[in-house]
Every structure is written in C-alpha cells, then in structure tokens.
Amino acid sequence: MEEVMKMDEREMGKEEKDKEEIDEEKDGEVGVTRLPPWTKQVTIRGVVASGVLGVIYIIIAMKLNLTTGLSPNLNVSAALLAFVFIRTWTKLVEKAGFRPLPFTKQENTMIQTCVVACYSIAIGGGFGSYLLGLNKTTYELAGVNTVGNTAASYRELQIGWMTAYLFVVCFVGLFVLVPLRKILIIDYNLVFPSGMATAVLIMDSIQEEIRWPGMICSHLVSLSLLLGAVLSWGVMWPLINKLQRSWFPDNLPEDGMQGLNGYKVFISIALIFGDGFYNFFKVLLIILINVHGRMKHKAVLDIDGKSKATSNLKQNELFERESIPMWIAGSGYLVFSLISVIALPIMFHEIKWYYIVVAYILAPSLAFCNAYGAGLTDMNMAYNYGKVALFVLAGLAGKKYGVVAGLVGCGVIKSMALVSCMLMQDLKTAHLTLTSPRSMLISQAIGTTIGCGVAPLSFFLFYKAFDVGNPNGEYKAPYALIYKNMAILGVEGFSALPRHCLQLCCGFFAFAVAVDLARDLIPPKVGKWMPLPMVMAVPFLVGGYFAIDMCVGSLVVFLWHRMNSKEGELMVPAVASGLICGEGLWSLPASLLALAKVNPPICMTFLSGKA
C-alpha cells in the first residue's frame, strides 16, 4: 500500500510539474491549446454558480417529485443554464472594469456535474417514495387494520435524521466504481447517451452554436399517460366500484387498502414490476451478449479499435493521465461503508448491521451492472435494484420490523447505484470535453454535499406548507403509498391483496411484459407506438388530470413542428424548460405564503351537475 501511495504521489507531482500540450480540433483546423490543470477547473465562481443553480433545480425537482412522481431528465438544461449564468457573470464583470477569467468547457462541465449531483438527491433521495412512505400519513393510507401494516412500521419525518441518512448512504456511491472508470469509459467505450448529449451541448455552447439534443418528453409518454388514465378511471375503476358488495364490503373507508384503493395501488405496482422485470433482464441480456462478443472477438476489436484510439488519443491520454489514485477510491469506499454499517442500525434499530455489510459486499457488482447497462441503453436501473432490496430485507426482517427495514434498505442500494451511475455519465461527459476526472469527482462530491443539505430543507418547506401525500390534494406523492405497500407485500405475501386483486395483478404484469416484448420484436414502425407500462401506471393512482396536461403540451409540440420544423426543433425544448422552471420556482413563494397562512383573494372550483 505504501508503494502504491508513493507511486501515486510521484505521478501527481510529475503531472502538476509538467503539463503536456494537447491538440484540439477547431473548425477543421488543428490548434495547440494548453488545457487548464484540474486544480484550475474547479473555480470559486463555478462553485457559486453550481450552488445557485443547484438550489433552483432541487426546488423544481422536489415539486415534480411530490406532485406527479415523475421527473424529466434535466441534465442538458443544467448545462445550458450553467453556460448562460457564467456568460452573464463575465459580461457584468467586464462592464465593471475587471478582466474575468475565460469561461472554458471544462468549467462548464464542472458546473453541470455539480448541479446534476444536487438535484439527483432531490429526485432519488426517497422524498416522494421510500422515506415519505415511513410517515404516519402513509401508514394510515395503507390501512391501519391492514395485515402487516403494524404501528411499528412508521416514524415521523424529521429533518435531522433524514439529512444524516442521506449523508450516510449517498457518499458510498461516489467511490464504488472509480477503480473501474477506465474499463467503462475507454476500454469498453460505452456510449452513455445522456453524458454524450450533454458533452455535445457544452462543446457547441462554447462555440456559440447551441443545438438541443433530444426533447423533454416524447409524444409516446403523453399518449401512454392518456391510455393509462382512460383504462383505469374510464373503464376499470367504475366497473370494480360496481362490484363492491361482491368483491369487497361497501362500508370500507375510501382510502382503505381492502377496497377500491387497494386495487389502484397493487395494479399500479404490477405494471411497474412488469416493466422493471422485463427491462432488468433485457439490460442483463444485452450486457452478457456484449461481454461475450468482446471476449470472442477480442482480436478483431483490437484491430478495429486502433484507428478509434488514434482519433480519441488526446481524450484517452488526458483521462488516464488525470487518474484518481486507487488509494483514494479504496479508502473512501471503506470509510463511508464503515460509517453506514455503524450509523444505520443506530438510526433504525429495525435494520441489522450485517444486512448493510452484505449489501456493500455486493454493491460493486450491482453498481457495475447498472452503469454498464446505462452506458449501453441510457436506462438507469437503480430503482429496480432498490425494489429488489426492499423485498429481500422486508422478508428477512419479519412482520414486526420488515416494513421499515425494507424501506430503509431500499434507499441504501438505490442511492449507491444511482450516484455511482450518475458519476460514470459525468465522467463520459468529462472524457469528451477534455475535463479532468479529478475535478469531476470533486464536483460530484460538492454537489452531493449541497444536495444532502438543501434537499431535506426543500422537502420540509413543501411538507409543512402543503398536505403532502393526500391522494385528493395537489401534492399526492403517489410513490410513497406504492413503496409502503411493496414493503407490506414483502412481509405478508399475497395475503395483503384484496379479493381477485392477485389475478388482476398477474394479468397486468403479463401485459407490461408483453407490451415491452412487442416493442422490441415487431417492426419499428409499429413498435415505436407501443405504450410504456411504467408511465401508464402513474394515472392509475394519481388520476387523469396530469395526462391531459401532458397531451396538451404534446399537441402544441406537434403543431409547432408541422408549421415550422426547424424553429420547433430549436425552441420547443427551451420553452418546455422555461415552463418547468417557472412553475417550479413559483412553488417557493407559494410555500412561504402557505406557511404564513396567506389566503388567495380568489378561489375557483368546478362542481359536478349533482352538486
């Protein structure tokens, strides 16, 4: 270990002493540009910009997470806003008579990485799912008399333990895949589509030729939401409600899990599981086929990859030269894993220390599979790994403590897989923009720190100001009840389901698998219109209003493209990002007004004809 540390120190000293000049292609010509060292890529203004934008995106992501449970990919817009923010900063400084430092694509990459790390905590930290599923409101919604939903299965949410929990479980993911970064980024040359799209935007932004790769949400997402709303609220729930005396008693409370609400929740879970089950094994199969192909045709790949290596020489050279020392990755993983093993059983007596030890022994292989799959397909399966952990731990911990152990353990695995995969995507962006992996790790750590500190504050702003978790309110947070019932199902098995619900769940599980299979097997002209089962599941529980909103947006996009395709391609993502940011940012003053008990001067509602 001492020899390795000495070698790392010598290498770092040599790199700092003698930075090589790397050729960069610009507009078809080759120019020699001295890249800033990694210590200059993480700037004070970059950290300030990251903090401001990170807080904004945390509030936006939290609003979306607690209302619909869906969160669009905001990576590209984060890179664009970072560019706009620093450009505005430099112009103001110039007008004040000072000479600012030039804004480089490396600094832009650093800011984007930090901002994404911030809002990823708001999306993946469990505020709208497994952590919210621990509170008393969700316990009551799941049915106080429901088998397996014991009084010991909830605890009141407090900002102190929630913040500590996030710091404990999120930082492990920063180090788990660092030793394998070269294999994933250079040796396997994985695409990581989101990371590549962000890199393209950053390089085009610096050249002031902004192009938007991708869209906020496709038409298929909107149509899938509409199909789910019509199928559930237009057909199934009215039919099941008519059978309430034969299938379930008519004197049950409206939110009871043995009544209509139980069918809503568990059929939603069946669709989510079916979609997740298929995609999990699909990605696993793609990984196995890809690895087998690499092993079988290793010689061919080496020959074909030689020319690629030449064209990517400067990227690979910088990526390897600015490597993160192995002792940092190893010690970081061991230290934070040890902290988790000690702290989590103290915070939650329901979860045993040896559960955490086993989880972190398996963590590197799980994280590698998740990152490899995301590199091939752009599908981050951290949520599915978390659900598997939820069921396993809920079953192991028993009836009394299983629900809490399952929900907490879900967060341990999901956070580790999510953070490690996000870091690999950002390292792909860094590889393409000639940014040091060291500055990426530091940026990710800064963003994770800001996210773990600010996200709970943002959550409690909503939690205290609004009725979060109320199925009839604006802040439904549908996944909290779903995760809670997943844990109950893991403890009690199928006995927790209402009558005939198991048969319906099996049918919708098979439907989800069949639809996903059809999308991949039938001709693309037809397959591209197959609905998305996981998206269909949202209105089953939330309601149809959100599907209408999405379809109106899709109609506007469709008409815009028909009238002016070029303008639509350029402006639609910008307009969509502006609408998302505007609505999300309004939630901050709305929360403060609600906390101050300021009532709106006008209130409008729509009543049915019978009222």
Side-chain angles (χ1 to χ4, degrees):
M1 178 63 76
E2 293 180 359
E3 292 180 1
V4 173
M5 292 176 65
K6 288 179 180 178
M7 288 177 64
D8 288 331
E9 290 174 359
R10 285 199 300 268
E11 289 175 3
M12 292 176 67
K14 183 180 178 182
E15 291 159 10
E16 294 299 325
K17 184 178 179 181
D18 182 24
K19 288 287 181 185
E20 298 181 13
E21 293 183 347
I22 297 177
D23 293 340
E24 288 191 89
E25 293 182 8
K26 292 184 178 179
D27 300 326
E29 298 179 2
V30 178
V32 179
T33 304
R34 184 178 291 277
L35 295 174
W38 70 273
T39 52
K40 298 285 182 67
Q41 293 175 13
V42 182
T43 62
I44 294 177
R45 72 178 178 187
V47 173
V48 173
S50 301
V52 173
L53 294 176
V55 171
I56 292 173
Y57 273 84
I58 284 172
I59 296 171
I60 294 168
M62 192 67 71
K63 167 74 182 293
L64 294 171
N65 203 12
L66 296 178
T67 50
T68 66
L70 296 177
S71 298
N73 191 326
L74 302 173
N75 295 28
V76 172
S77 65
L80 178 67
L81 281 185
F83 171 76
V84 173
F85 189 97
I86 296 297
R87 280 292 195 212
T88 304
W89 178 315
T90 53
K91 286 182 179 179
L92 291 175
V93 170
E94 286 174 352
K95 287 184 178 180
F98 298 97
R99 184 180 178 184
L101 293 172
F103 181 45
T104 64
K105 58 189 175 186
Q106 288 78 26
E107 187 179 8
N108 198 348
T109 304
M110 169 260 159
I111 297 171
Q112 182 269 339
T113 297
C114 195
V115 173
V116 171
C118 287
Y119 86 77
S120 294
I121 304 297
I123 293 175
F127 297 102
S129 54
Y130 51 87
L131 288 185
L132 185 59
L134 290 169
N135 77 338
K136 189 174 182 180
T137 301
T138 311
Y139 160 74
E140 293 171 348
L141 286 173
V144 176
N145 298 321
T146 301
V147 179
N149 190 32
T150 63
S153 67
Y154 78 87
R155 65 185 300 171
E156 284 304 323
L157 304 182
Q158 296 177 349
I159 195 168
W161 71 257
M162 291 179 74
T163 304
Y165 174 80
L166 290 175
F167 273 104
V168 167
V169 301
C170 289
F171 275 85
V172 178
L174 287 177
F175 300 96
V176 64
L177 286 181
V178 167
L180 304 175
R181 66 197 178 280
K182 179 178 176 294
I183 295 174
L184 292 168
I185 305 296
I186 295 179
D187 296 343
Y188 286 175
N189 195 26
L190 297 177
V191 177
F192 286 101
S194 293
M196 180 174 286
T198 305
V200 170
L201 176 67
I202 288 173
M203 290 187 287
D204 285 348
S205 297
I206 296 298
Q207 294 169 7
E208 299 187 357
E209 295 177 4
I210 297 174
R211 303 183 190 97
W212 281 89
M215 301 292 290
I216 298 295
C217 280
S218 67
H219 297 311
L220 184 59
V221 171
S222 302
L223 295 175
S224 298
L225 284 167
L226 184 62
L227 177 60
V230 172
L231 182 61
S232 57
W233 293 88
V235 179
M236 290 188 59
W237 305 158
L239 290 176
I240 293 176
N241 200 39
K242 288 181 180 179
L243 298 169
Q244 61 179 319
R245 291 190 178 180
S246 57
W247 282 22
F248 55 92
D250 57 359
N251 59 350
L252 291 175
E254 186 178 349
D255 56 0
M257 293 308 296
Q258 294 299 318
L260 179 60
N261 197 50
Y263 294 93
K264 295 178 183 178
V265 172
F266 288 113
I267 291 174
S268 300
I269 292 173
L271 277 171
I272 293 170
F273 270 8
D275 193 33
F277 174 86
Y278 175 84
N279 283 297
F280 177 81
F281 284 100
K282 173 186 170 182
V283 171
L284 185 62
L285 182 62
I286 291 172
I287 291 172
L288 293 175
I289 293 173
N290 194 276
V291 171
H292 176 71
R294 289 178 183 276
M295 294 175 64
K296 188 176 180 180
H297 304 289
K298 191 169 187 258
V300 177
L301 287 174
D302 289 342
I303 294 171
D304 292 342
K306 206 165 186 181
S307 60
K308 282 186 178 180
T310 303
S311 62
N312 296 331
L313 183 61
K314 61 180 181 293
Q315 296 170 345
N316 295 345
E317 180 187 349
L318 177 70
F319 197 81
E320 293 185 56
R321 190 187 68 196
E322 298 279 340
S323 63
I324 301 165
M326 186 68 71
W327 68 268
I328 292 180
S331 59
Y333 184 70
L334 289 175
V335 168
F336 284 105
S337 297
L338 184 61
I339 292 173
S340 297
V341 170
I342 296 172
L344 286 177
I346 296 174
M347 296 168 61
F348 305 94
H349 67 274
E350 297 89 348
I351 192 165
K352 305 299 182 185
W353 64 269
Y354 46 85
Y355 295 166
I356 309 299
V357 171
V358 173
Y360 286 137
I361 290 174
L362 298 175
S365 58
L366 295 177
F368 179 81
C369 290
N370 186 43
Y372 193 99
L376 293 171
T377 65
D378 205 30
M379 295 175 62
N380 191 334
M381 306 294 287
Y383 293 87
N384 288 321
Y385 287 105
K387 290 168 192 170
V388 172
L390 185 152
F391 274 100
V392 172
L393 290 175
L396 288 175
K399 293 187 177 181
K400 187 175 182 180
Y401 301 126
V403 172
V404 175
L407 292 171
V408 172
C410 170
V412 172
I413 295 297
K414 195 186 92 168
S415 298
M416 176 276 303
L418 181 69
V419 172
S420 61
C421 185
M422 295 296 294
L423 179 59
M424 288 302 109
Q425 285 192 352
D426 290 332
L427 285 175
K428 179 66 177 182
T429 305
H431 178 250
L432 295 173
T433 59
L434 297 174
T435 306
S436 169
R438 297 176 186 174
S439 64
M440 287 294 94
L441 182 63
I442 294 173
S443 302
Q444 188 89 8
I446 294 172
T448 303
T449 303
I450 295 172
C452 290
V454 175
L457 295 173
S458 174
F459 168 75
F460 271 91
L461 186 65
F462 289 99
Y463 193 65
K464 297 296 184 182
F466 305 106
D467 190 9
V468 175
N470 181 359
N472 299 316
E474 180 184 1
Y475 292 85
K476 294 177 172 62
Y479 284 103
L481 187 58
I482 287 175
Y483 273 73
K484 180 79 168 185
N485 282 283
M486 285 181 187
I488 294 172
L489 198 60
V491 172
E492 292 297 328
F494 296 127
S495 62
L497 299 176
R499 191 180 181 188
H500 297 300
C501 190
L502 177 59
Q503 293 89 328
L504 288 170
C505 287
C506 290
F508 277 92
F509 182 92
F511 168 78
V513 174
V515 168
D516 285 333
L517 190 64
R519 184 186 304 108
D520 291 333
L521 295 182
I522 62 179
K525 287 184 178 180
V526 181
K528 67 179 183 180
W529 295 108
M530 290 290 104
L532 304 171
M534 193 168 291
V535 177
M536 285 180 63
V538 176
F540 270 60
L541 194 60
V542 173
Y545 77 97
F546 182 62
I548 301 299
D549 295 344
M550 293 289 288
C551 285
V552 169
S554 282
L555 180 61
V556 172
V557 172
F558 175 77
L559 294 175
W560 200 339
H561 276 277
R562 289 297 297 266
M563 291 187 293
N564 192 327
S565 179
K566 287 187 178 181
E567 183 184 88
E569 184 178 354
L570 179 66
M571 297 301 297
V572 163
V575 172
S577 297
L579 290 171
I580 292 171
C581 292
E583 184 180 7
L585 289 177
W586 168 247
S587 61
L588 179 59
S591 302
L592 297 175
L593 290 172
L595 288 172
K597 300 189 183 303
V598 176
N599 295 318
I602 299 175
C603 188
M604 182 183 296
T605 187
F606 295 92
L607 303 173
S608 63
K610 295 180 181 179

